[in-house]
Amino acid sequence: MKTEMAERNALAPGIVARKSLFCLFTIASIIFIFSWFFVLRSTGRPRFIDHSLLPNSKVLSLINNGGSTTQSQSDQSVLVDNEEGDAEESSSSFSSQDSHGGVATCQTNSNKAALLKVYMYDLNHEFHFGLLDWEPEGNGQVWPDLLNKVPDYPGGLNLQHSIEYWLTLDILASELANPPNADSVIRVHNSSEADIVFVPFFSSLSYNRYSKTNPHQKKSNNKLLQDKLVRFLTAQKEWQRSGGRDHLIVAHHPNSLLDARMKLWPATFILADFGRYPPNIANVEKDVIAPYKHVIRTFVNDSSDFDSRPTLLYFQGAIYRKDGGFIRQELFYLLKDEKDVHFAFGSVQKDGIHKATQGMHSSKFCLNIAGDTPSSNRLFDAIASHCVPVIISDDIELPYEDVLDYSEFCIFVRTRDALKEKFLINLVQSIGKEEWTRMWNKLKEVESFYEFQFPSQEGDAVQMIWQAVARKVPAIKMKIHKSRRFSRSLDGKESEFRYVPTPNNFWLVQRHRRKYQRKHPRQLKTQHRFTPRKRIPVSRAIRQLHRGRGFIGLGRRLQRPIENGVARQLKNM
């Protein structure tokens, strides 16, 4: 008995120790599990930020794709307010049937809170509607009365670069008592409330109408207007406050704003492409690509099909072009004798637009080939004609490509491949009826994204451009906020931007360009280049790059590498 009691007394501390260790392990496990739970929660959306205090938070939210691939590629471009607490607000929607039988739906705000707040300068009418021969009726009037008469824009090829006209009308319409346009943009008269500052200069029209110098003038009216615009903008407090970073300037014609662009480069440009811009003046990260306004008549009630369009491949336009447009001449000799291929010279004269309309409406595929610049209006004529575009332009940039997948309704061909014998004709012949019909249906879905009209409607080109601008706003604000980091270490006069430094070597480029133009006016006119076409050794080109001379004096073969080198240098400064 005593032996058993002794054994029990000896085992009791061990049992207690094991129970204590088990309890301690259980408690530690529970604490560990809870700690991981809180850690994982902390990596989610921050709960300590009041999103209602963010400036115009509607701009920061995009449509929820809802798991639809087609929707995320095309309909995602419609901006909505997805903030918590707004779910009970009334909303409207429109839907379209995609090529796979699914329905792609875009949700839009039905309330009147605009997604983009725009401050627009009241520039003198000579910068905008005065270029359309509109005159104010009384002293102090700057803008036309849209309820009475909307000034007409000149027709023909002028229309293809009329982007600034439609955007300005849309801003003015937002001030009417019952705005007839879609409500994605509104004009504000306090610049501190605005997301973007719009500059209403009809730069493309100014170039088309007033770029020639009269005999008694030293400068053309187009250049005089650019000089006045630069002086006005750089003197404004809005420009000085941000260094011009939050300004929006339309320069859709490749030759528009040719002189002022070097001084206004911090602003966001709305362009057709970057063909005549150095990469550190304009690029896809900073600027917005807008579509041309098509001149071909829209194919309304299109009931055609694969078999009812007899022409396989269609092109009509200028064949002999400069720079990257040399491929047109090469393709002409490759395709002119092919069966069911129409490849001919054409222009807007002698009923050219009507003939092109008939030709595109009766063709399965339409060629969009690089010309003097990477882009052309022919792409948007093809979309309006429901003719599947075949794009041969290696450097082209496309509108809304961050939300729209062009490969669903366009065919892309590299220049080097297109110049191979029979490559292009074999490619289009290999596309069967089913695949072509799918792309044709997609063209009919997206065609409204390229329609300019007043008043603007939901999902048209004007609204798509505004939404593309809205997607740039967060990056613009981040640049402005980062630039203010050390403002407290400066005195009052230096706390705002007096100017934004111009990229190195650009004024030198301009100086050499003007000097060369005085000596060789005809040669520069035919080249449309920043610098004379002059061959120099590669070693000398590298030395010039390191000395900050950029691509001055470089030929076509070396121009792009040197431009990229300059861009990398400035990026690392």
Side-chain angles (χ1 to χ4, degrees), residues 39 125 133 184 198 237 262 278 315 404 461 507 521 556 560:
V39 168
H125 71 283
D133 301 323
S184 64
F198 185 75
K237 63 178 183 179
M262 294 298 182
F315 177 88
L404 199 60
W507 296 120
R556 180 184 299 170
R560 182 58 58 186

Side-chain angles (χ1 to χ4, degrees), residues 145-190:
D145 183 3
L146 301 185
L147 297 178
N148 183 25
K149 170 66 175 173
V150 178
D152 294 325
Y153 201 89
L157 291 181
N158 289 295
L159 272 174
Q160 61 182 344
H161 297 296
S162 57
I163 316 306
E164 58 264 38
Y165 169 77
W166 305 103
L167 295 183
T168 304
L169 286 177
D170 200 54
I171 296 174
L172 294 175
S174 69
E175 294 188 286
L176 299 178
N178 296 306
N181 59 326
D183 58 358
S184 64
V185 65
I186 188 171
R187 186 183 183 186
V188 297
H189 293 274
N190 186 349

Side-chain angles (χ1 to χ4, degrees), residues 127-254:
F127 288 97
H128 40 83
F129 290 100
L131 296 171
L132 298 172
D133 301 323
W134 173 81
E135 292 291 338
E137 297 178 356
N139 294 331
Q141 183 181 5
V142 177
W143 306 105
D145 183 3
L146 301 185
L147 297 178
N148 183 25
K149 170 66 175 173
V150 178
D152 294 325
Y153 201 89
L157 291 181
N158 289 295
L159 272 174
Q160 61 182 344
H161 297 296
S162 57
I163 316 306
E164 58 264 38
Y165 169 77
W166 305 103
L167 295 183
T168 304
L169 286 177
D170 200 54
I171 296 174
L172 294 175
S174 69
E175 294 188 286
L176 299 178
N178 296 306
N181 59 326
D183 58 358
S184 64
V185 65
I186 188 171
R187 186 183 183 186
V188 297
H189 293 274
N190 186 349
S191 61
S192 61
E193 298 176 358
D195 299 307
I196 204 79
V197 178
F198 185 75
V199 180
F201 177 41
F202 291 3
S203 58
S204 298
L205 186 63
S206 177
Y207 173 79
N208 283 331
R209 283 194 161 186
Y210 303 108
S211 58
K212 294 182 179 180
T213 305
N214 295 328
H216 62 279
Q217 287 182 314
K218 293 183 178 179
K219 277 187 174 183
S220 65
N221 289 335
N222 176 47
K223 289 188 176 182
L224 292 174
L225 281 177
Q226 291 183 57
D227 293 342
K228 293 175 67 174
L229 180 69
V230 170
R231 289 196 299 270
F232 172 84
L233 289 179
T234 53
Q236 301 306 304
K237 63 178 183 179
E238 288 81 12
W239 182 277
Q240 295 172 357
R241 184 171 58 208
S242 66
R245 291 180 175 91
D246 58 354
H247 282 54
L248 184 66
I249 303 175
V250 185
H252 199 261
H253 192 290

Side-chain angles (χ1 to χ4, degrees), residues 163 167 270 288 290-291 400 452 461-470:
I163 316 306
L167 295 183
I270 295 181
V288 174
Y400 339 127
F452 289 91
V462 175
Q463 299 303 310
M464 292 293 286
I465 292 173
W466 285 132
Q467 291 162 16
V469 172

Side-chain angles (χ1 to χ4, degrees), residues 75-93:
D75 298 334
Q76 187 180 4
S77 58
V78 182
L79 303 175
V80 298
D81 185 3
N82 286 333
E83 295 177 4
E84 295 182 1
D86 289 346
E88 297 180 359
E89 293 184 2
S90 60
S91 62
S92 61
S93 65

Side-chain angles (χ1 to χ4, degrees), residues 338-548:
E338 294 288 346
K339 182 182 178 181
D340 297 333
V341 173
H342 177 90
F343 201 118
F345 174 81
S347 67
V348 296
Q349 300 176 351
K350 298 181 180 179
D351 204 26
I353 293 179
H354 178 68
K355 293 178 180 178
T357 300
Q358 290 181 326
M360 285 189 165
H361 287 188
S362 60
S363 301
K364 297 179 180 70
F365 301 94
C366 291
L367 280 170
N368 178 65
I369 314 172
D372 295 340
T373 60
S375 67
S376 75
N377 193 31
R378 201 163 282 100
L379 168 62
F380 308 100
D381 287 340
I383 293 174
S385 304
H386 309 154
C387 179
V388 176
V390 180
I391 300 174
I392 308 175
S393 180
D394 296 346
D395 297 323
I396 193 172
E397 296 290 347
L398 298 169
Y400 339 127
E401 199 168 10
D402 55 337
V403 295
L404 199 60
D405 185 359
Y406 279 80
S407 66
E408 293 188 349
F409 53 90
C410 296
I411 299 171
F412 293 86
V413 182
R414 293 185 179 90
T415 300
R416 67 173 183 266
D417 293 331
L419 294 177
K420 296 176 182 177
E421 189 76 22
K422 295 289 185 179
F423 180 91
L424 191 59
I425 195 70
N426 290 338
L427 176 65
V428 293
Q429 287 177 347
S430 67
I431 298 176
K433 181 177 181 179
E434 182 178 352
E435 185 178 358
W436 182 89
T437 303
R438 178 182 60 79
M439 301 178 81
W440 174 77
N441 283 324
K442 192 66 180 179
L443 283 171
K444 293 197 293 182
E445 284 183 32
V446 303
E447 65 175 333
S448 64
F449 297 163
Y450 308 95
E451 293 291 341
F452 289 91
Q453 56 192 335
F454 178 77
S456 65
Q457 301 298 323
E458 193 70 47
D460 68 3
V462 175
Q463 299 303 310
M464 292 293 286
I465 292 173
W466 285 132
Q467 291 162 16
V469 172
R471 292 192 292 272
K472 298 288 184 181
V473 169
I476 293 172
K477 290 186 178 296
M478 184 183 70
K479 291 178 182 178
I480 296 174
H481 295 164
K482 289 179 71 174
S483 66
R484 294 173 179 167
R485 288 177 177 179
F486 303 104
S487 59
R488 295 184 183 275
S489 62
L490 304 174
D491 57 35
K493 294 182 179 180
E494 294 179 342
S495 59
E496 293 184 348
F497 289 99
R498 294 183 181 180
Y499 66 94
V500 174
T502 303
N504 292 342
N505 74 48
F506 280 3
W507 296 120
L508 189 60
V509 170
Q510 288 295 89
R511 189 161 60 249
H512 277 259
R513 182 181 182 276
R514 289 192 293 267
K515 182 179 178 181
Y516 190 83
Q517 188 175 19
R518 288 193 296 269
K519 291 183 179 180
H520 311 281
R522 291 186 178 181
Q523 185 174 353
L524 191 65
K525 184 178 179 181
T526 60
Q527 290 176 2
H528 287 286
R529 300 173 70 85
F530 285 102
T531 58
R533 188 176 299 169
K534 179 181 176 183
R535 299 285 184 181
I536 63 173
V538 176
S539 58
R540 182 180 166 195
I542 299 300
R543 289 199 301 272
Q544 287 185 352
L545 174 62
H546 286 294
R547 293 170 185 169

